mmCIF file of all heavy atoms in Angstrom:
data_model
loop_
_atom_site.group_PDB
_atom_site.id
_atom_site.type_symbol
_atom_site.label_atom_id
_atom_site.label_comp_id
_atom_site.label_asym_id
_atom_site.label_seq_id
_atom_site.Cartn_x
_atom_site.Cartn_y
_atom_site.Cartn_z
ATOM 1 N N SER A 35 42.833 137.862 -70.500
ATOM 2 C CA SER A 35 42.759 137.883 -71.963
ATOM 3 C C SER A 35 44.005 137.300 -72.623
ATOM 4 O O SER A 35 44.059 137.175 -73.835
ATOM 5 C CB SER A 35 42.514 139.306 -72.461
ATOM 6 O OG SER A 35 43.590 140.139 -72.082
ATOM 7 N N ALA A 38 43.673 131.070 -72.960
ATOM 8 C CA ALA A 38 42.490 130.492 -73.607
ATOM 9 C C ALA A 38 41.281 130.599 -72.671
ATOM 10 O O ALA A 38 41.429 130.496 -71.453
ATOM 11 C CB ALA A 38 42.754 129.036 -73.963
ATOM 12 N N PRO A 39 40.079 130.810 -73.246
ATOM 13 C CA PRO A 39 38.880 131.033 -72.421
ATOM 14 C C PRO A 39 38.652 129.996 -71.334
ATOM 15 O O PRO A 39 38.267 130.349 -70.216
ATOM 16 C CB PRO A 39 37.747 130.999 -73.453
ATOM 17 C CG PRO A 39 38.392 131.468 -74.701
ATOM 18 C CD PRO A 39 39.800 130.943 -74.679
ATOM 19 N N ARG A 42 40.499 130.799 -68.133
ATOM 20 C CA ARG A 42 40.296 132.101 -67.464
ATOM 21 C C ARG A 42 39.730 131.990 -66.054
ATOM 22 O O ARG A 42 40.094 132.791 -65.199
ATOM 23 C CB ARG A 42 39.424 133.001 -68.348
ATOM 24 C CG ARG A 42 40.239 133.478 -69.528
ATOM 25 C CD ARG A 42 39.485 134.379 -70.480
ATOM 26 N NE ARG A 42 40.261 134.438 -71.720
ATOM 27 C CZ ARG A 42 39.785 134.773 -72.901
ATOM 28 N NH1 ARG A 42 38.517 135.104 -73.044
ATOM 29 N NH2 ARG A 42 40.575 134.792 -73.952
ATOM 30 N N THR A 243 47.934 127.521 -73.045
ATOM 31 C CA THR A 243 47.341 128.274 -74.150
ATOM 32 C C THR A 243 48.212 128.124 -75.394
ATOM 33 O O THR A 243 47.714 127.906 -76.505
ATOM 34 C CB THR A 243 47.219 129.764 -73.761
ATOM 35 O OG1 THR A 243 46.372 129.852 -72.624
ATOM 36 C CG2 THR A 243 46.648 130.602 -74.889
ATOM 37 N N GLU A 244 49.531 128.199 -75.182
ATOM 38 C CA GLU A 244 50.471 128.070 -76.283
ATOM 39 C C GLU A 244 50.521 126.630 -76.801
ATOM 40 O O GLU A 244 50.452 126.401 -78.009
ATOM 41 C CB GLU A 244 51.852 128.481 -75.766
ATOM 42 C CG GLU A 244 52.758 129.060 -76.813
ATOM 43 C CD GLU A 244 53.986 129.658 -76.146
ATOM 44 O OE1 GLU A 244 53.883 130.766 -75.573
ATOM 45 O OE2 GLU A 244 55.033 128.982 -76.181
ATOM 46 N N GLU A 246 48.332 124.434 -76.765
ATOM 47 C CA GLU A 246 47.105 124.026 -77.453
ATOM 48 C C GLU A 246 46.852 124.861 -78.699
ATOM 49 O O GLU A 246 45.827 124.713 -79.353
ATOM 50 C CB GLU A 246 45.918 124.089 -76.485
ATOM 51 C CG GLU A 246 46.011 122.972 -75.444
ATOM 52 C CD GLU A 246 45.080 123.174 -74.261
ATOM 53 O OE1 GLU A 246 44.239 124.100 -74.316
ATOM 54 O OE2 GLU A 246 45.195 122.405 -73.283
ATOM 55 N N GLY A 247 47.775 125.787 -79.001
ATOM 56 C CA GLY A 247 47.684 126.552 -80.248
ATOM 57 C C GLY A 247 46.548 127.547 -80.292
ATOM 58 O O GLY A 247 46.085 127.924 -81.369
ATOM 59 N N TYR A 248 46.081 127.986 -79.131
ATOM 60 C CA TYR A 248 44.994 128.972 -79.114
ATOM 61 C C TYR A 248 45.505 130.312 -79.612
ATOM 62 O O TYR A 248 46.573 130.769 -79.210
ATOM 63 C CB TYR A 248 44.435 129.117 -77.699
ATOM 64 C CG TYR A 248 43.350 130.156 -77.594
ATOM 65 C CD1 TYR A 248 42.060 129.885 -78.029
ATOM 66 C CD2 TYR A 248 43.636 131.424 -77.093
ATOM 67 C CE1 TYR A 248 41.076 130.843 -77.954
ATOM 68 C CE2 TYR A 248 42.650 132.388 -77.013
ATOM 69 C CZ TYR A 248 41.375 132.090 -77.450
ATOM 70 O OH TYR A 248 40.409 133.057 -77.369
ATOM 71 N N ASP A 249 44.740 130.935 -80.528
ATOM 72 C CA ASP A 249 45.177 132.169 -81.169
ATOM 73 C C ASP A 249 44.677 133.384 -80.391
ATOM 74 O O ASP A 249 43.497 133.698 -80.411
ATOM 75 C CB ASP A 249 44.636 132.201 -82.600
ATOM 76 C CG ASP A 249 45.034 133.473 -83.311
ATOM 77 O OD1 ASP A 249 45.897 134.211 -82.785
ATOM 78 O OD2 ASP A 249 44.468 133.725 -84.393
ATOM 79 N N LEU A 250 45.592 134.085 -79.733
ATOM 80 C CA LEU A 250 45.208 135.230 -78.903
ATOM 81 C C LEU A 250 44.834 136.458 -79.719
ATOM 82 O O LEU A 250 44.199 137.370 -79.208
ATOM 83 C CB LEU A 250 46.366 135.627 -77.977
ATOM 84 C CG LEU A 250 46.634 134.716 -76.790
ATOM 85 C CD1 LEU A 250 47.906 135.140 -76.107
ATOM 86 C CD2 LEU A 250 45.468 134.763 -75.814
ATOM 87 N N THR A 251 45.252 136.495 -80.999
ATOM 88 C CA THR A 251 45.016 137.724 -81.766
ATOM 89 C C THR A 251 43.542 137.912 -82.074
ATOM 90 O O THR A 251 43.092 139.005 -82.351
ATOM 91 C CB THR A 251 45.796 137.718 -83.089
ATOM 92 O OG1 THR A 251 45.393 136.565 -83.826
ATOM 93 C CG2 THR A 251 47.279 137.666 -82.821
ATOM 94 N N SER A 252 42.764 136.829 -82.017
ATOM 95 C CA SER A 252 41.313 137.010 -82.167
ATOM 96 C C SER A 252 40.691 136.521 -80.874
ATOM 97 O O SER A 252 41.348 135.941 -80.038
ATOM 98 C CB SER A 252 40.806 136.206 -83.349
ATOM 99 O OG SER A 252 41.184 134.868 -83.174
ATOM 100 N N GLY A 253 39.426 136.743 -80.724
ATOM 101 C CA GLY A 253 38.795 136.266 -79.496
ATOM 102 C C GLY A 253 39.122 137.186 -78.350
ATOM 103 O O GLY A 253 38.928 138.356 -78.439
ATOM 104 N N SER A 254 39.671 136.694 -77.307
ATOM 105 C CA SER A 254 39.890 137.363 -76.007
ATOM 106 C C SER A 254 38.631 137.335 -75.181
ATOM 107 O O SER A 254 38.249 136.266 -74.746
ATOM 108 C CB SER A 254 40.549 138.743 -76.107
ATOM 109 O OG SER A 254 39.645 139.793 -75.991
ATOM 110 N N GLY A 259 35.392 132.718 -82.280
ATOM 111 C CA GLY A 259 36.800 132.613 -82.627
ATOM 112 C C GLY A 259 36.939 132.388 -84.121
ATOM 113 O O GLY A 259 35.959 132.130 -84.824
ATOM 114 N N SER A 260 38.142 132.511 -84.621
ATOM 115 C CA SER A 260 38.401 132.191 -86.017
ATOM 116 C C SER A 260 38.297 130.680 -86.170
ATOM 117 O O SER A 260 38.240 129.938 -85.182
ATOM 118 C CB SER A 260 39.796 132.647 -86.398
ATOM 119 O OG SER A 260 40.725 131.902 -85.643
ATOM 120 N N ASP A 261 38.288 130.227 -87.394
ATOM 121 C CA ASP A 261 38.234 128.788 -87.630
ATOM 122 C C ASP A 261 39.392 128.084 -86.951
ATOM 123 O O ASP A 261 39.235 127.060 -86.306
ATOM 124 C CB ASP A 261 38.278 128.496 -89.140
ATOM 125 C CG ASP A 261 36.923 128.792 -89.774
ATOM 126 O OD1 ASP A 261 35.981 129.121 -89.018
ATOM 127 O OD2 ASP A 261 36.826 128.687 -91.002
ATOM 128 N N GLU A 262 40.588 128.712 -87.121
ATOM 129 C CA GLU A 262 41.790 128.128 -86.532
ATOM 130 C C GLU A 262 41.592 127.941 -85.033
ATOM 131 O O GLU A 262 41.923 126.915 -84.463
ATOM 132 C CB GLU A 262 43.011 129.039 -86.748
ATOM 133 C CG GLU A 262 43.625 128.962 -88.121
ATOM 134 C CD GLU A 262 42.833 129.785 -89.141
ATOM 135 O OE1 GLU A 262 41.707 130.254 -88.803
ATOM 136 O OE2 GLU A 262 43.314 129.941 -90.245
ATOM 137 N N GLN A 263 41.061 129.006 -84.432
ATOM 138 C CA GLN A 263 40.927 129.017 -82.986
ATOM 139 C C GLN A 263 39.941 127.951 -82.521
ATOM 140 O O GLN A 263 40.175 127.263 -81.528
ATOM 141 C CB GLN A 263 40.436 130.395 -82.591
ATOM 142 C CG GLN A 263 40.276 130.569 -81.112
ATOM 143 C CD GLN A 263 39.827 131.967 -80.841
ATOM 144 O OE1 GLN A 263 40.231 132.898 -81.530
ATOM 145 N NE2 GLN A 263 39.003 132.140 -79.849
ATOM 146 N N LEU A 264 38.842 127.851 -83.253
ATOM 147 C CA LEU A 264 37.836 126.867 -82.855
ATOM 148 C C LEU A 264 38.395 125.461 -82.989
ATOM 149 O O LEU A 264 38.133 124.601 -82.158
ATOM 150 C CB LEU A 264 36.566 127.036 -83.699
ATOM 151 C CG LEU A 264 35.794 128.311 -83.372
ATOM 152 C CD1 LEU A 264 34.681 128.542 -84.383
ATOM 153 C CD2 LEU A 264 35.211 128.230 -81.956
ATOM 154 N N ALA A 266 41.544 124.709 -82.681
ATOM 155 C CA ALA A 266 42.527 124.529 -81.610
ATOM 156 C C ALA A 266 41.842 124.247 -80.274
ATOM 157 O O ALA A 266 42.324 123.469 -79.462
ATOM 158 C CB ALA A 266 43.399 125.777 -81.490
ATOM 159 N N ALA A 267 40.701 124.900 -80.079
ATOM 160 C CA ALA A 267 40.008 124.759 -78.794
ATOM 161 C C ALA A 267 39.286 123.423 -78.695
ATOM 162 O O ALA A 267 38.987 122.945 -77.614
ATOM 163 C CB ALA A 267 39.021 125.907 -78.613
ATOM 164 N N PRO B 39 48.471 141.524 -78.832
ATOM 165 C CA PRO B 39 48.345 140.727 -77.609
ATOM 166 C C PRO B 39 49.664 140.378 -76.937
ATOM 167 O O PRO B 39 49.761 140.432 -75.711
ATOM 168 C CB PRO B 39 47.622 139.460 -78.085
ATOM 169 C CG PRO B 39 46.818 139.923 -79.247
ATOM 170 C CD PRO B 39 47.631 140.984 -79.928
ATOM 171 N N TYR B 248 49.818 144.506 -87.189
ATOM 172 C CA TYR B 248 48.697 143.932 -86.441
ATOM 173 C C TYR B 248 47.480 144.834 -86.584
ATOM 174 O O TYR B 248 47.570 146.055 -86.436
ATOM 175 C CB TYR B 248 49.065 143.777 -84.963
ATOM 176 C CG TYR B 248 47.933 143.242 -84.129
ATOM 177 C CD1 TYR B 248 47.622 141.890 -84.154
ATOM 178 C CD2 TYR B 248 47.168 144.094 -83.343
ATOM 179 C CE1 TYR B 248 46.580 141.393 -83.405
ATOM 180 C CE2 TYR B 248 46.114 143.599 -82.590
ATOM 181 C CZ TYR B 248 45.825 142.247 -82.619
ATOM 182 O OH TYR B 248 44.784 141.773 -81.886
ATOM 183 N N GLY B 259 38.928 137.475 -85.874
ATOM 184 C CA GLY B 259 40.019 138.216 -86.496
ATOM 185 C C GLY B 259 39.773 138.380 -87.983
ATOM 186 O O GLY B 259 39.111 137.571 -88.619
ATOM 187 N N SER B 260 40.293 139.470 -88.569
ATOM 188 C CA SER B 260 40.179 139.685 -90.005
ATOM 189 C C SER B 260 41.213 138.820 -90.711
ATOM 190 O O SER B 260 42.120 138.277 -90.084
ATOM 191 C CB SER B 260 40.454 141.143 -90.333
ATOM 192 O OG SER B 260 41.803 141.427 -90.049
ATOM 193 N N GLN B 263 44.688 140.194 -90.181
ATOM 194 C CA GLN B 263 45.237 139.910 -88.872
ATOM 195 C C GLN B 263 45.744 138.480 -88.782
ATOM 196 O O GLN B 263 46.814 138.227 -88.220
ATOM 197 C CB GLN B 263 44.121 140.126 -87.864
ATOM 198 C CG GLN B 263 44.537 139.891 -86.452
ATOM 199 C CD GLN B 263 43.375 140.174 -85.549
ATOM 200 O OE1 GLN B 263 42.588 141.071 -85.822
ATOM 201 N NE2 GLN B 263 43.243 139.432 -84.492
ATOM 202 N N LEU B 264 45.005 137.579 -89.367
ATOM 203 C CA LEU B 264 45.422 136.184 -89.314
ATOM 204 C C LEU B 264 46.713 135.993 -90.093
ATOM 205 O O LEU B 264 47.593 135.256 -89.674
ATOM 206 C CB LEU B 264 44.314 135.272 -89.870
ATOM 207 C CG LEU B 264 43.094 135.175 -88.959
ATOM 208 C CD1 LEU B 264 41.960 134.436 -89.654
ATOM 209 C CD2 LEU B 264 43.455 134.460 -87.652
ATOM 210 N N ALA B 267 49.507 137.404 -87.992
ATOM 211 C CA ALA B 267 49.805 136.579 -86.825
ATOM 212 C C ALA B 267 50.492 135.280 -87.217
ATOM 213 O O ALA B 267 51.164 134.655 -86.410
ATOM 214 C CB ALA B 267 48.510 136.269 -86.066
ATOM 215 N N ALA B 268 50.292 134.906 -88.468
ATOM 216 C CA ALA B 268 50.836 133.610 -88.916
ATOM 217 C C ALA B 268 52.355 133.662 -89.062
ATOM 218 O O ALA B 268 52.951 134.708 -89.054
ATOM 219 C CB ALA B 268 50.178 133.217 -90.240
#
Side-chain angles (χ1 to χ4, degrees):
Chain A
S35 62
R42 287 180 196 159
T243 299
E244 209 170 283
E246 289 166 8
Y248 178 78
D249 179 12
L250 286 172
T251 58
S252 55
S254 101
S260 64
D261 284 355
E262 281 79 350
Q263 181 178 325
L264 290 171
Chain B
Y248 178 78
S260 67
Q263 181 178 325
L264 289 171

